Amino acid sequence: GKKVLIVYAHQEPKSLNGSLKRVAVEELSKQGCSVTVSDLYAMQFEPRATRNDIVGCLHNSEEFNYGMETWEAYKRGGLSDDLIEEQKKVQEADLLIFQFPLYWFSMPAIMKGWMDRVLVQGFAHEFPNCYDSGLLKNKLALFSFTTGGSKEMYAKGGISGDIRYLLWPMQHGIMHFCGVKVLAPHICFAPEYVSEEKREEMLIAWSQRLKTLWKEEPINCSPEWYFK
């Protein structure tokens, strides 16, 4: 069976994000997948990239450079336990699902902190091994999220601009940079402003999509997909 890691960022299990996460666990498990969830708020995951991420001596104690220090620490097995744990989950996964509410045109800070701390040089990328030759190639990622604004607001002519513009830093700048192939995002627009029935339909649509997820082709990871 395939292995799936769901990185989940919402404070409330009864939220739509909580329900979307639950549906994914149920549906993928039913398919025989092995599903692991990193529930960032429940774990009280530390989002700040600090000196605490390196165990033992620093490579350069004169001047702290987080990128360099975590790279060196990764090579000698000297990263903090929480990072080693998350990297192990990523390493084993065939598919990464990121489930979150959109905050200020981006992911919540706790999830961005997961990206900052877990995807270190040497583990996820190592120049020139990035983009198509990133160290996490052969993995898939899918961003599943809810928005505050309506679909119309996130259309090309809408006040917020095309939703794809917001996906550029997340999908391209992080996932594709690390070599991960990206599936089309799953977006639930403005769930707070629709009926209970509509929210139920959103959960059913997600469940239906997951049934055939492994047959999907990744998006064309090029600027054209985002900005055409």
Side-chain angles (χ1 to χ4, degrees):
K2 302 271 194 189
K3 293 196 171 176
V4 182
L5 171 62
I6 301 175
V7 182
Y8 162 69
H10 200 288
Q11 308 88 336
E12 175 50 67
K14 296 201 274 294
S15 64
L16 186 71
N17 274 277
S19 299
L20 289 160
K21 183 259 295 172
R22 191 189 68 244
V23 164
V25 172
E26 287 168 6
E27 178 52 45
L28 292 165
S29 300
K30 226 183 277 175
Q31 294 174 21
C33 298
S34 151
V35 185
T36 303
V37 178
S38 283
D39 182 340
L40 301 182
Y41 286 104
M43 291 157 67
Q44 297 191 320
F45 186 80
E46 168 59 80
R48 295 169 300 178
T50 69
R51 162 72 178 90
N52 296 338
D53 293 348
I54 296 105
V55 176
C57 296
L58 291 176
H59 183 66
N60 175 3
S61 55
E62 298 299 303
E63 189 179 333
F64 185 68
N65 176 324
Y66 183 82
M68 176 57 69
E69 292 297 344
T70 48
W71 184 23
E72 291 296 334
Y74 174 74
K75 288 189 283 194
R76 63 176 167 80
L79 288 172
S80 58
D81 289 347
D82 60 338
L83 294 193
I84 290 170
E85 182 64 28
E86 292 307 298
Q87 288 177 345
K88 192 161 162 266
K89 295 177 194 174
V90 171
Q91 198 69 64
E92 290 175 355
D94 299 296
L95 167 67
L96 310 167
I97 295 177
F98 296 95
Q99 182 65 59
F100 60 98
L102 198 68
Y103 279 7
W104 295 116
F105 279 26
S106 188
M107 60 186 83
I110 199 165
M111 184 175 279
K112 178 56 165 58
W114 185 95
M115 304 281 185
D116 292 349
R117 295 181 63 226
V118 175
L119 303 175
V120 304
Q121 188 168 354
F123 169 69
H125 58 90
E126 195 162 351
F127 194 80
N129 294 320
C130 46
Y131 291 116
D132 290 341
S133 59
L135 302 181
L136 300 181
K137 55 183 183 293
N138 306 326
K139 296 188 187 300
L140 292 169
L142 193 163
F143 285 81
S144 170
F145 59 96
T146 58
T147 69
S150 65
K151 194 169 184 174
E152 293 68 38
M153 288 170 78
Y154 287 107
K156 208 163 208 163
I159 186 78
S160 299
D162 192 331
I163 192 80
R164 290 186 178 197
Y165 302 159
L166 315 191
L167 289 161
W168 171 255
M170 295 188 259
Q171 293 187 164
H172 187 78
I174 303 174
M175 285 295 114
H176 184 203
F177 185 82
C178 296
V180 181
K181 291 184 176 60
V182 181
L183 296 173
H186 197 85
I187 308 165
C188 293
F189 288 99
E192 279 177 86
Y193 304 104
V194 299
S195 65
E196 197 51 59
E197 290 73 36
K198 275 267 181 284
R199 283 197 290 274
E200 199 49 49
E201 282 169 26
M202 288 174 174
L203 295 176
I204 292 165
W206 178 223
S207 177
Q208 288 304 117
R209 179 175 176 193
L210 289 164
K211 287 184 198 312
T212 56
L213 195 69
W214 301 104
K215 296 194 176 90
E216 289 186 19
E217 286 296 314
I219 63 166
N220 160 25
C221 280
S222 68
E224 287 74 39
W225 187 88
Y226 298 90
F227 302 110
K228 66 183 178 222

